[in-house]
């Protein structure tokens, strides 16, 4: 099993001079100075920066609320909430709630008791699992008894695990006191509009106080309840993340207004996700041909909102029974049958010791990046470009090109390396041979990138990538991502300066819609 602290070839070496590392860690101001950028960006930050300590304590190990943490810490979901009280045009209720899940995914439903056993089993096996979320398969607050019973059991059995909740917000104001009582520190509300006319194009109906409402009236009730719930939560100091689904031609421009509305009500983080819409999902949008955004459209909207508040760009639209690091899915290891047979020993000391080691690894990574950044500091250039990275986690370039199910995307500039997204792809390596069709989908998915960093790559894909103008880089295998990307960028700028290469602007890239969506 691969874990964040078992990269035996490099880990011990990195810890040799921990005094120096700890000194640099003490000095680093990641959140406010990510990549030398002075704008706070806590959803994609490396450290505390200007954040109050009590908020930092809540986000530092939460893989969704801290981009940096998501390389190291895992979350899990338990699918205890089957019912829903609204209808979204991008959702088919045969599948998981599409407000947090990729469409077309079906999760294994659990009772609260089964869920609690599962959480303890996973926490004992994956000590870096720090957060338990309830995100479906329907709306958790349309199933309040099951949701809160699950939280109650888990807070007794695994008290160190943070509790998290995701909701469409319709009944949120009714449950805020209970949420606070159960110490649920993090709540996600999906808010796609603050204008009922736009809402009527997204929501055909809501079921509220024993009555079904449709059209603009339904959307007005929903937006009023969502914003009221948000205000009530932030008044109580509960951290709120807003998910918004970007639907081109319907709410894409409007999401800037949504961003302002949620920021003014105290939301901590805004997660704008692409609509994923394919006819095979059987949703209204899928069947009527509503398209999702391209990679450039999504990034442009996220960039335009970033001046207003922290943006999340590392969401993987997880399934309602997801387990593991974001981007990996270990739910198949923890099916109900397997859990019920497991002998579980919940050892808090072992979990703490393991997480302390993860912290050292994480801090060494930050220190290495800061060191490389110092060398970049003298460079003057307005070149900004994207690179893709194949990684299995821990902030390392440690995945083979052919085994990558996704690539992480970083924007490089003289400010440093900034995580700006990820692209899911079809596996190129199909049991020992490369699949040419898959390679073309990979190239389309990272077509806006100048280079792709991998632990290893074969001759054929290498030459196809070069032909497409993407530099396959394997010389930083098993090194830290940001440090390596900054070092590569320094070389790139030098080559441009010397006239060895000419800087070109890349085109757009695809966000995968249909293929393989139900697999992970
Ligand atoms: Fe789950 Fe959501 Fe909590 Fe995270 S997921 S309930 S906040 S613990 Fe995270 Fe998954 Fe995106 Fe959700 S990557 S879908 S944002
Ligand atoms: Fe589907 Fe979630 Fe919308 Fe309910 S709230 S209709 S489960 S996407």
């Amino acid at each position: 099993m691969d874990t964040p602290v078992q990269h035996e070839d490099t880990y011990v070496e990195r810890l040799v001079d921990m005094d120096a590392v700890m000194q640099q860690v003490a000095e680093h101001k990641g959140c406010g100075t990510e990549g030398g950028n002075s704008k706070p960006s806590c959803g994609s930050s490396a450290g505390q920066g200007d954040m109050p300590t009590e908020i930092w304590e809540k986000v530092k190990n939460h893989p969704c609320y801290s981009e940096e943490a998501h390389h190291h810490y895992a979350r899990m979901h338990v699918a205890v909430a089957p019912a829903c009280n609204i209808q979204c045009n991008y959702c088919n209720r045969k599948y998981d709630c599409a407000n947090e899940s990729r469409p077309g995914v079906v999760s294994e439903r659990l009772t609260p008791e089964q869920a609690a056993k599962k959480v303890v089993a996973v926490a004992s096996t994956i000590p870096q699992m720090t957060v338990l979320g309830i995100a479906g398969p329907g709306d958790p607050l349309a199933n309040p008894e099951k949701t809160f019973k699950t939280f109650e059991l888990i807070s007794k059995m695994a008290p160190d695990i943070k509790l998290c909740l995701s909701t469409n917000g319709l009944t949120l104001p009714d449950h805020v006191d209970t949420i606070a009582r159960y110490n649920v520190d993090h709540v996600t509300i999906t808010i796609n509009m603050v204008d009922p006319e736009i809402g009527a194009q997204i929501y055909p109906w809501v079921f509220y106080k024993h009555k079904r409402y449709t059209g603009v009236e339904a959307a007005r009730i929903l937006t009023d309840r969502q914003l009221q719930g948000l205000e009530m939560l932030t008044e109580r100091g509960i951290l709120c993340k807003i998910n918004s689904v970007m639907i081109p031609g319907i709410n894409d421009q409007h999401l800037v207004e949504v961003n302002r509305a949620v920021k003014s009500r105290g939301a901590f983080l805004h997660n704008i996700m692409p609509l994923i819409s394919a006819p095979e999902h059987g949703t209204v949008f899928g069947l009527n041909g509503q398209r999702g955004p391209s990679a450039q459209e999504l990034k442009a909207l996220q960039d335009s909102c970033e001046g207003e508040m922290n943006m999340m760009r590392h969401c993987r639209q997880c399934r309602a029974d997801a387990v593991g690091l974001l981007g990996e899915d270990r739910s198949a290891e923890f099916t109900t049958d397997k859990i019920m047979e497991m002998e579980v020993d919940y050892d808090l000391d072992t979990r703490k010791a393991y997480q302390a080691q993860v912290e050292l690894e994480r801090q060494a990574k930050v220190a290495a990046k800061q060191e490389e950044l110092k060398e970049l500091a003298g460079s003057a250039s307005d070149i900004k470009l994207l690179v893709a990275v194949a990684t299995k986690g821990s902030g390392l370039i440690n995945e083979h090109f052919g085994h990558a199910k996704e690539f992480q995307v970083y924007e490089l500039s003289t400010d440093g390396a900034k995580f700006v997204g990820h692209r899911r792809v079809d596996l190129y390596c199909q049991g020992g041979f490369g699949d040419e069709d898959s390679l073309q989908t990979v190239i389309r998915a990272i077509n806006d990138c100048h280079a792709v960093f991998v632990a290893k790559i074969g001759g054929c894909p290498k030459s196809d990538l070069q032909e497409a103008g993407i530099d396959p880089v394997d010389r930083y295998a098993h090194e830290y991502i940001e440090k390596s990307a900054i070092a590569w960028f320094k070389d790139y700028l030098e080559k441009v300066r010397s006239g060895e290469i000419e800087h070109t602007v890349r085109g757009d890239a695809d966000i995968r819609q249909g293929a393989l969506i139900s697999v992970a």
Side-chain angles (χ1 to χ4, degrees), residues 31 53 82 96 136 157 173 203 211 216 220 269 278 280 306 312 343 348-349 356 466 476 506:
C31 183
T53 301
D96 287 4
M157 294 164 79
Y203 305 102
K211 192 175 162 199
V216 173
R220 182 168 293 117
L269 192 59
E280 62 264 32
E306 192 166 53
M312 177 182 189
E343 288 290 323
L348 196 52
D349 289 341
Q466 282 163 338
Y476 301 106
R506 304 277 311 161

Side-chain angles (χ1 to χ4, degrees), residues 82-93 95-100 135 137-139 167-168 190 203:
C84 191
N85 46 12
I86 69 173
Q87 180 62 54
C88 307
N89 277 335
Y90 47 73
C91 179
N92 176 347
R93 292 296 303 114
Y95 305 118
D96 287 4
C97 175
N99 283 340
E100 283 232 326
D139 184 73
T167 177
N168 63 38
T190 299
Y203 305 102

